[in-house]
């Protein structure tokens, strides 16, 4: 099948797999094995020398995981992907594959709290400086750039503000310098394809919508295959100078017979080899089950969330609803430019009565789960200031858009009447009605 011509709904079910050649199995088998028998000594040597790509050891690749990688790469319009053990590992690898001690990246400040911590503290301790900028002003990326800037980084639909990132504008600035834009597209699979707007790399926490059932932690990086890493070799030394840890390979040259996969191949054979954050074949299988229904699920997440946004916007006692449909001006224009088919399943709101009312609301929910997750089939709620963003200082919380009374909802796939009934019950309890 020509995958490029197929629609996302079809790719989500078919990309990367037809049937098992030895058994005819239609479902992707779980290859629960650490290692793979080489045909002979020449075969083993050629795999290790990357003359041909193939299975060596499950830390580096695995046939079950390979299908997941191909499928998400097809959905995002990329040429290759690397699955890893979590979204956090994907964010770390996406940056560490381009930047080392002494280098910097420029990142939007509107980030998931875990990514913010990784960037502000752990990468900093490793000598990689992350320069945080206001995502609403694309020129801020240019201003923060210097000769050691290796990448730009942002989320498509960052919570809590839920203001869509100016992907094409920032990607275009990056291209002037030879700097790739890495997009975390966790919140918007199928709704937005950042690679179509000029991003070079996309990452996902597959824990969320891609997996969709709250069973398995995972992460994935997709290589768009179009970024010209050689155009400005001093800008990207890790892909353009000999790599001592792989017989002096220069990745942009070494991959020439294999396709435009310098970035993603290096991430696999250097970072995954050395740091070992591999996805287990069982998790890859679980996440593949989720991918098969992601298109249908996303539609329902979007429509349910829109109905909740409309309901809360008209509700007495709700002081603010944070959802792209409530935005105006530039923020709304970006949402409509970059998101097609809906605004995802995330929504925030504030109650009159602030923190106390917010806490009462969460405690009074009966069907919604109170958990630190999003993108699940179930509806979820959390109070970010006291949980996901609690390791940030008060100023950092405000900078990332977490006000004290903010409640975040991840709207699930239940019937909308049941979702609204649960919200109403909790609102009445919180507002003392
Ligand atoms: N990126 C975003 C936007 C997230 O929401 C999360 C987790 O909440 C992550 C990355 C990290 O993913 P994981 O929890 O799979 O490590």
């Amino acid at each position: 099948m020509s995958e490029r011509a197929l629609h996302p709904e079809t790719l989500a079910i078919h990309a990367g797999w037809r049937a098992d050649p030895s058994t005819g199995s239609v479902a992707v088998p779980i290859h629960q094995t650490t290692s793979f028998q080489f045909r002979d000594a020449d075969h083993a040597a050629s795999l290790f020398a990357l003359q041909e790509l193939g299975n060596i050891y499950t830390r580096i690749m695995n046939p079950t995981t390979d299908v997941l990688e191909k499928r998400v790469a097809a959905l995002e319009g990329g040429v290759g992907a690397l699955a890893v053990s979590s979204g956090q590992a994907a964010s770390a690898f996406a940056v560490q594959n381009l930047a080392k001690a002494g280098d910097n990246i420029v990142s939007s400040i509107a980030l998931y709290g875990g990514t913010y911590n990784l960037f502000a503290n752990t990468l900093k301790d490793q000598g990689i400086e992350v320069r945080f900028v206001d995502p609403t002003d694309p020129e801020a990326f240019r201003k923060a750039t210097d000769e050691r800037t290796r990448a730009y980084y942002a989320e498509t639909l960052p919570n809590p503000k839920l203001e869509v990132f100016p992907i094409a504008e920032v990607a275009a600035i990056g291209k002037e310098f030879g700097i790739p834009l890495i997009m975390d597209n966790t919140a918007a699979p199928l709704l937005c394809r950042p690679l179509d707007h000029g991003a070079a790399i996309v990452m996902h926490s597959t824990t969320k919508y891609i997996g969709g059932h709250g069973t398995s932690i995972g992460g994935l990086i997709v290589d768009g295959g179009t970024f010209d890493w050689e155009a400005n070799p001093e800008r990207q030394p890790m892909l353009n100078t000999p790599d001592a840890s792989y017989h002096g390979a220069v990745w942009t040259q070494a991959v020439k017979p294999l396709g435009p996969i310098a970035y993603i191949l290096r991430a696999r054979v250097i970072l995954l080899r050395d740091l070992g954050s591999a996805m287990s074949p069982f998790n890859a299988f679980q996440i593949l089950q989720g991918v098969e229904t992601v298109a249908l699920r996303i539609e329902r997440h979007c429509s349910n969330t829109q109905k909740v946004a409309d309901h809360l916007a008209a509700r007495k006692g709700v002081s603010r609803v944070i959802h792209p449909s409530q935005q105006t001006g530039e923020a709304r224009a970006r949402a409509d430019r970059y998101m097609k088919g809906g605004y995802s399943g995330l929504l925030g709101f504030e109650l009159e009565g602030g923190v106390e009312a917010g806490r009462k609301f969460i405690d009074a929910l009966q069907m919604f789960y109170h958990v630190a997750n999003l993108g699940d089939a179930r509806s979820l709620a959390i109070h970010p200031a006291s949980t996901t963003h609690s390791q940030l200082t008060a100023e950092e919380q405000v900078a990332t858009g977490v006000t004290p009374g903010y409640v975040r909802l991840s709207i699930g796939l239940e019937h909308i009447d049941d979702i609204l009934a649960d919200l109403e019950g909790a609102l009445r309890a919180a507002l003392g009605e």
Side-chain angles (χ1 to χ4, degrees):
M1 273 193 283
S2 154
E3 287 176 356
R4 287 281 169 185
L6 299 176
H7 293 85
E9 293 81 352
T10 313
L11 291 173
I13 296 169
H14 291 285
W17 178 255
R18 185 65 192 162
D20 184 67
S22 54
T23 62
S25 167
V26 169
V28 178
I30 305 173
H31 289 278
Q32 195 68 29
T33 180
T34 56
S35 33
F36 301 85
Q37 167 80 353
F38 304 122
R39 288 193 301 272
D40 52 34
D42 282 348
H43 179 222
S46 96
L47 289 177
F48 275 87
L50 301 178
Q51 280 154 357
E52 83 182 272
L53 293 181
N55 300 310
I56 297 176
Y57 188 61
T58 284
R59 170 153 41 77
I60 297 166
M61 71 182 288
N62 172 280
T64 309
T65 314
D66 180 56
V67 179
L68 175 65
E69 291 167 342
K70 291 198 166 101
R71 197 158 293 178
V72 179
L75 281 173
E76 287 290 358
V79 294
L82 177 69
V84 289
S85 56
S86 67
Q88 282 298 106
S91 306
F93 278 23
V95 173
Q96 288 169 325
N97 203 36
L98 296 172
K100 59 173 186 254
D103 294 339
N104 67 73
I105 69 161
V106 181
S107 173
S108 160
I109 183 75
L111 291 173
Y112 162 61
T115 313
Y116 179 81
N117 261 328
L118 166 71
F119 286 1
N121 299 302
T122 301
L123 288 188
K124 183 175 166 205
D125 289 346
Q126 293 176 356
I128 299 171
E129 182 198 352
V130 180
R131 302 174 172 187
F132 295 102
V133 295
D134 172 2
T136 60
D137 175 17
E139 286 301 315
F141 282 78
R142 184 195 303 281
K143 288 186 199 124
T145 299
D146 69 12
E147 72 285 357
R148 296 293 295 265
T149 304
R150 303 289 179 236
Y152 293 161
Y153 190 101
E155 294 180 14
T156 308
L157 179 70
N159 75 83
K161 286 189 183 167
L162 300 179
E163 287 179 6
V164 173
F165 183 75
I167 305 171
E169 294 90 321
V170 174
I173 294 172
K175 277 190 190 136
E176 290 176 33
F177 294 102
I179 297 174
L181 172 62
I182 302 169
M183 289 300 306
D184 179 339
N185 200 33
T186 299
L190 279 85
L191 301 171
C192 176
R193 293 213 313 180
L195 299 175
D196 293 347
H197 301 288
I201 307 295
V202 164
M203 62 77 47
H204 277 276
S205 163
T206 59
T207 314
K208 318 294 182 200
Y209 291 105
I210 294 270
H213 297 83
T215 65
S216 310
I217 300 280
L220 201 132
I221 308 170
V222 179
D223 188 337
T226 54
F227 192 82
D228 188 352
W229 304 103
E230 290 177 84
N232 191 346
E234 309 80 60
R235 180 63 79 182
Q236 300 300 342
M238 289 168 80
L239 295 179
N240 285 293
T241 51
D243 194 327
S245 93
Y246 221 103
H247 332 294
V250 176
W251 293 109
T252 46
Q253 307 309 313
V255 301
K256 290 249 149 95
L258 304 170
I261 56 166
Y263 174 90
I264 207 71
L265 187 69
R266 185 191 185 279
R268 183 185 300 281
V269 301
I270 302 296
L271 294 178
L272 194 55
R273 179 196 68 180
D274 294 355
L275 299 175
S277 315
M279 178 183 282
S280 79
F282 183 72
N283 273 20
F285 172 81
Q286 289 280 70
I287 295 163
L288 268 170
Q289 308 315 298
V291 176
E292 290 190 0
T293 58
V294 66
L296 265 181
R297 286 186 290 104
I298 280 284
E299 263 179 47
R300 176 64 76 86
H301 282 297
C302 289
S303 62
N304 275 352
T305 307
Q306 186 61 58
K307 287 174 189 152
V308 172
D310 294 343
H311 180 82
L312 291 177
R315 177 66 164 85
K316 188 167 58 66
V318 175
S319 48
R320 202 159 72 98
V321 176
I322 299 100
H323 184 256
S325 67
Q326 298 291 314
Q327 294 163 357
T328 54
E330 190 75 63
R332 178 62 180 272
R334 282 180 184 145
D336 290 337
R337 173 171 181 198
Y338 291 114
M339 307 271 291
K340 297 290 175 226
Y343 300 124
S344 190
L346 301 175
L347 173 147
F349 71 95
E350 286 187 45
L351 287 175
E352 285 166 9
V355 187
E356 265 325 294
R359 282 170 179 260
K360 272 196 200 144
F361 169 84
I362 295 236
D363 285 340
L365 287 166
Q366 294 191 352
M367 183 184 79
F368 275 66
Y369 282 88
H370 178 199
V371 296
N373 193 23
L374 57 87
D376 195 315
R378 302 153 190 81
S379 287
L380 316 173
I382 200 157
H383 178 237
S386 61
T387 56
T388 50
H389 289 64
S390 61
Q391 282 139 41
L392 276 55
T393 64
E395 295 89 66
E396 286 171 336
Q397 286 192 359
V398 170
T400 55
V402 176
T403 51
Y406 184 99
V407 174
R408 183 183 82 197
L409 303 180
S410 170
I411 302 298
L413 307 177
E414 302 93 341
H415 194 284
I416 186 62
D417 293 350
D418 299 326
I419 294 173
L420 292 177
D422 198 33
L423 290 173
E424 265 307 310
L427 284 169
R428 283 195 294 273
L431 297 166
E433 292 174 355

